[in-house]
Amino acid sequence: MLRFFTAGESHGKGLIAFLEGIPAGLKIDFEFIKKEMKRRRSGYGRGKRSLSIEKDEIEIISGIRWGRTIGSPISIFIPNKDYENWKEILSPYEEYKNEELYLTKPRPGHADLAGALKFLREDLRDILERSSARETAARVVAGAICKLFLKEFNIEILSFTKEIGGIRAKAFKLPLEEIILKTESSPLRCLDPEAERKMKIAIDEAKKNGDTLGGIFTVCAYNVPPGLGSNSQWDLKIDGRIAQAMMSIPGVKGVEIGRGFDGARKKGSQVHDPIYWSKEKGFYRITNNAGGIEGGITNGEVIIVRCAMKPIPSLMKPLQSVDIKTKKSCSAMIVRSDVCVVPSAGVIGESMLAYVVADEFIKKFGGDSMKEIKVNYENYLKAIKAF
Ligand code: EPS
């Protein structure tokens, strides 16, 4: 079983990613991790901090020796470069406490007020520091290791931007390599250049108006074997686990798998994917409306997940709010932020999907070492072939 946690405040000393359960002997490609961190930090619509302040260099604390995992918990530290400017505000020591710095004007749509009520905190900073999407840097470092693990079994995960500010990209049927090539050279990680041009204009417009934009991103996992997840109990269904993982990404308000909500408007005969068999391929489908999952179990087709992200709640032209100290009506606080983070959210979605698929893979094929898990996996593939 894989376990994955993060810790750290947005402007604190740094973030920690903790990953336990990756088998021993996995080769760690540090360049790959570096690239993944950069992919998350970049994108048109990002603000000053992620583009020019943070570097997301990683420091391995444990679990990796001489380039390979050793089976012990992996912990990784990501220092926050911006901490230099926040040392006193984020200090753990009481002598730095300063009530004049309290933030008391919650942003509608942010965790500010709900969190202040939950933890009974008078300074909204105690809430917003942890609910900031800066935390997702730690998810991506853990996700990169899960991806490296999955690559050993030829499983690849990618994402692309489907929609920003209501502008929808055309659908393309492209091979895996081409999707990767096109998204990696696009500032919005979008496959449709015409839609991307309009999305960029919409982002510029939102920025000019002190506003923000949300959108939709798609995450896919290729070459996943059939049989991950289970139909036998509600909390073992892999689609349920994926939905929870995706919904945990800051700003995500909707998740669909395969045809999702659109399938609800169609007849059964139009939605379900007919089954075929050939000696070379085994069981296969021509369509994939199920998004690679049937009955909470992977069916061997590509896993397709689509996530809806609301616009960022930190507005330069703030909405109506109430001061939690005075209870007087006010405008919500204004804080430095991004305008649109949908392309980054796609990369974070890849990490979350990589974590769930790697966890299910390890559960099914077991093993404390890569050698052991590879033998178990080969045996399962043979059993499926002979079925
Ligand atoms: C974020 C607000 C911005 C972003 C940050 C997430 O930070 P700040 O308030 O310091 O300007 O830059 O994202 C990152 C730093 C990052 O690496 O993703 C927020 O409130 O969610």
Side-chain angles (χ1 to χ4, degrees), residues 268-342:
S269 57
Q270 299 169 306
V271 168
H272 301 298
D273 307 303
I275 303 171
Y276 301 91
W277 186 88
S278 78
K279 211 168 164 47
E280 312 77 61
K281 290 192 203 168
F283 296 101
Y284 69 97
R285 320 294 172 103
I286 290 170
T287 54
N288 184 16
N289 293 328
I293 300 169
E294 288 170 306
I297 310 172
T298 56
N299 64 6
E301 301 299 320
V302 177
I303 297 181
I304 304 172
V305 190
R306 222 168 292 108
C307 302
M309 180 178 222
K310 68 182 180 183
I312 296 166
S314 303
L315 304 179
M316 289 298 150
K317 270 197 196 150
L319 293 174
Q320 148 78 35
S321 186
V322 172
D323 190 307
I324 58 167
K325 190 168 181 205
T326 64
K327 310 295 182 298
K328 291 214 169 88
S329 163
C330 65
S331 288
M333 65 177 135
I334 297 177
V335 294
R336 180 183 66 179
S337 192
D338 310 290
V339 177
C340 175
V341 287
V342 176

Side-chain angles (χ1 to χ4, degrees), residues 10-11 40-41 46-51 54 56 82 86 107 110 128 131-137 250 312 314 335-338:
S10 178
H11 304 95
R40 187 203 67 91
R41 249 188 1 258
R46 282 295 228 153
K48 183 172 167 237
R49 180 165 175 213
S50 58
L51 290 178
E54 296 305 338
D56 293 348
D82 214 17
W86 297 79
R107 290 160 290 177
H110 206 278
L128 66 90
S131 54
S132 158
R134 173 78 191 131
E135 178 262 350
T136 59
I312 296 166
S314 303
V335 294
R336 180 183 66 179
S337 192
D338 310 290

Side-chain angles (χ1 to χ4, degrees), residues 1-3 20-23 149-150 153 225 227-230 232-242 296 354-368 372-373 376-377 380:
M1 177 181 150
L2 258 188
R3 292 200 294 170
E20 186 182 67
I22 292 284
F149 168 79
L150 294 173
F153 304 94
L228 301 189
S230 180
S232 69
Q233 194 61 266
W234 70 268
D235 60 343
L236 302 180
K237 290 177 180 254
I238 194 167
D239 39 5
R241 293 202 58 208
I242 292 170
Y355 164 68
V356 175
V357 174
D359 182 31
E360 290 296 337
F361 197 97
I362 290 167
K363 258 191 215 156
K364 181 152 176 64
F365 303 112
D368 295 309
E372 195 182 349
I373 200 164
N376 295 342
Y377 185 49
Y380 177 66

Side-chain angles (χ1 to χ4, degrees), residues 16 26 44 48 61 79 93 96 129 131 137 146 151 174 181 193 209 212 224 226 274 281 329 339 352 371 375 380 385:
I16 289 175
L26 173 68
Y44 200 81
K48 183 172 167 237
I61 308 287
Y93 304 109
Y96 292 99
E129 283 292 332
S131 54
C146 294
K151 277 174 190 289
L174 296 171
L181 208 72
N209 295 330
T212 56
V224 178
K281 290 192 203 168
S329 163
V339 177
M352 297 313 291
K371 274 187 193 155
V375 170
Y380 177 66
K385 220 169 167 112

Side-chain angles (χ1 to χ4, degrees), residues 253-273:
K253 297 298 265 184
V255 180
E256 41 177 41
I257 292 184
R259 264 228 132 109
F261 281 81
D262 179 47
R265 300 180 196 111
K266 302 219 154 31
K267 297 190 180 76
S269 57
Q270 299 169 306
V271 168
H272 301 298
D273 307 303

Side-chain angles (χ1 to χ4, degrees), residues 83-101:
Y83 180 55
E84 279 307 307
N85 305 314
W86 297 79
K87 270 185 174 157
E88 292 189 2
I89 296 179
L90 269 290
S91 169
Y93 304 109
E94 198 171 5
E95 61 256 39
Y96 292 99
K97 183 173 170 176
N98 180 353
E99 291 189 20
E100 280 170 25
L101 296 177

Side-chain angles (χ1 to χ4, degrees), residues 11-37:
H11 304 95
K13 199 164 185 169
L15 302 161
I16 289 175
F18 175 94
L19 188 62
E20 186 182 67
I22 292 284
L26 173 68
K27 191 166 166 41
I28 299 299
D29 178 344
F30 290 98
E31 274 311 303
F32 175 76
I33 298 178
K34 216 165 142 182
K35 272 193 214 140
E36 290 292 286
M37 302 302 277

